Amino acid sequence: MLGLGLAGLGYATVVERNWFRLRRFDVPVLEHGQRPVRILHLTDLHLTPRRTMLINWVRSLGALEPDLVVNTGDSIAHPEAVPSLLHALEPLLSRPGLFVYGSNDLYAPKPKNPARYLWRTSKNERRQHVPSLPWEELGAGMAAEGWLDMNNTTARIKVGDLDVAVAGIHDSHISRDRYDLVAGPAPADADLRLGVMHSPEPRNMSLFAADGYQLLLAGHTHGGQLCIPFYGALVTNCGIDRGRVKGLSRHESAWLHVSAGLGTSPYAPARFACFPEATLLTLVPRR
């Protein structure tokens, strides 16, 4: 049994953690006659400077030439990780892009018992009051290349042939979300109405849907990170149910995509039955 356990630990920390996958979904959200567009959804890299395999894999995604890149946060996990992240994103930064922050873009990870997630979430557990990671440098680096900072704000952006209305919020997991700053009916004249957040909290997703946003993108869950084959995630670390911990689903009137993300905390560097992922969403006309 000990040997089997050690083999499982080695697989989870060395093999699956670095077995990056690109998932693909078609999302029938456009009007008839509109040309498909492709959104690359990245999230939860939790990057440290020495994650060379992850950096190189993200760089390879530039060959996809997506119409839009959306980064839903928790991009870094080390004070010196911003140059590494910008190097990873370099082939994508010439594409239109959007980003929001996750809690781990502000606060450095600390050693903790990962088993606590079995009985509670990590919401608002951080005792740090002053950010310890260079989140401003992170945001400035992406914004300098033209990506839009969507933390508690709205914007209009051209994506392929589409005029897209976007609303985004900061991370609800640390109570920095301010939906009141983006609230109100989404512009009816937009070709697509997109909502962006880090943590997929149902209360915020319902507000987006009620305001007319058609597609919602989130990360945070890591897909459960340590899952049981044929059963799935044990926990989601937020308010969403286990059945929607990753992948494409519906939330009321909106489509929802939750990505399992690409990284892990440096203090819990393992994935099991939950491969690290990025997702290419192809938006197509409704049937």
Side-chain angles (χ1 to χ4, degrees), residues 7 9 53 152 158 163 234 263 277:
L9 180 62
M53 292 178 67
N152 298 326
K158 189 75 171 176
D163 173 28
L234 295 173
E277 66 180 36

Side-chain angles (χ1 to χ4, degrees), residues 47 49 55 76 78-89 134 137-138:
L47 194 65
I55 291 168
I76 58 174
H78 189 281
E80 298 176 6
V82 172
S84 298
L85 178 77
L86 295 177
H87 176 65
L89 294 177
E137 179 187 351
L138 168 67

Side-chain angles (χ1 to χ4, degrees), residues 134-283:
W135 63 274
E136 292 176 304
E137 179 187 351
L138 168 67
M142 291 185 285
E145 300 297 329
W147 284 17
L148 300 183
D149 180 341
M150 295 307 305
N151 290 283
N152 298 326
T153 193
T154 61
R156 298 287 282 262
I157 185 172
K158 189 75 171 176
V159 179
D161 294 333
L162 302 183
D163 173 28
V164 180
V166 187
I169 53 174
H170 207 307
D171 190 5
S172 59
H173 214 61
I174 49 174
S175 299
R176 288 184 176 242
D177 55 319
R178 289 287 306 278
Y179 194 87
D180 59 297
L181 297 179
V182 304
D189 61 339
D191 296 316
L192 174 71
R193 295 172 290 280
L194 176 65
V196 182
M197 70 205 90
H198 177 65
S199 181
E201 292 295 343
R203 61 178 174 82
N204 281 326
M205 296 189 302
S206 292
L207 291 171
F208 276 116
D211 278 342
Y213 290 92
Q214 302 158 287
L215 175 61
L216 312 179
L217 303 183
H220 175 72
T221 66
H222 295 193
Q225 190 165 329
L226 301 176
C227 300
I228 298 176
F230 309 111
Y231 177 80
L234 295 173
V235 294
T236 67
N237 195 28
C238 64
I240 200 170
D241 54 281
R242 291 192 310 105
R244 297 185 295 165
V245 70
K246 66 178 179 179
L248 186 68
S249 63
R250 298 287 290 183
H251 185 82
E252 300 170 7
S253 60
W255 287 98
L256 167 68
H257 180 257
V258 179
S259 173
L262 283 163
T264 66
S265 166
Y267 297 108
R271 281 180 178 258
F272 191 82
C274 187
F275 290 94
E277 66 180 36
T279 307
L280 189 66
L281 300 168
T282 300
L283 310 189

Side-chain angles (χ1 to χ4, degrees), residues 19-36:
W19 199 340
F20 311 113
R21 293 189 171 187
L22 179 69
R23 301 186 81 192
R24 298 173 185 262
F25 293 104
D26 288 348
V27 189
V29 71
L30 302 182
E31 297 291 342
H32 293 286
Q34 290 179 327
R35 296 176 58 184

Side-chain angles (χ1 to χ4, degrees), residues 18-98:
N18 293 300
W19 199 340
F20 311 113
R21 293 189 171 187
L22 179 69
R23 301 186 81 192
R24 298 173 185 262
F25 293 104
D26 288 348
V27 189
V29 71
L30 302 182
E31 297 291 342
H32 293 286
Q34 290 179 327
R35 296 176 58 184
V37 299
R38 299 184 304 157
I39 297 177
L40 179 63
H41 183 188
L42 304 174
T43 196
D44 293 88
L45 277 74
H46 293 274
L47 194 65
T48 55
R50 295 185 180 181
R51 291 290 318 270
T52 303
M53 292 178 67
L54 174 55
I55 291 168
N56 290 339
W57 192 83
V58 172
R59 287 184 62 85
S60 76
L61 297 176
L64 297 172
E65 298 186 343
D67 299 293
L68 176 68
V69 184
V70 178
N71 176 3
T72 50
D74 276 5
S75 296
I76 58 174
H78 189 281
E80 298 176 6
V82 172
S84 298
L85 178 77
L86 295 177
H87 176 65
L89 294 177
E90 181 185 15
L92 295 165
L93 288 172
S94 61
R95 318 299 299 182
L98 314 168

Side-chain angles (χ1 to χ4, degrees), residues 68-132:
L68 176 68
V69 184
V70 178
N71 176 3
T72 50
D74 276 5
S75 296
I76 58 174
H78 189 281
E80 298 176 6
V82 172
S84 298
L85 178 77
L86 295 177
H87 176 65
L89 294 177
E90 181 185 15
L92 295 165
L93 288 172
S94 61
R95 318 299 299 182
L98 314 168
F99 66 91
V100 293
Y101 296 125
S103 61
N104 288 281
D105 293 320
L106 282 73
Y107 302 109
K110 292 184 176 181
K112 60 190 71 172
N113 176 11
R116 76 198 185 288
Y117 291 132
L118 296 177
W119 61 84
R120 56 168 290 184
T121 77
S122 59
K123 181 174 174 59
N124 288 327
E125 71 173 12
R126 298 176 182 277
R127 289 179 169 65
Q128 303 176 66
H129 298 290
V130 178
S132 53

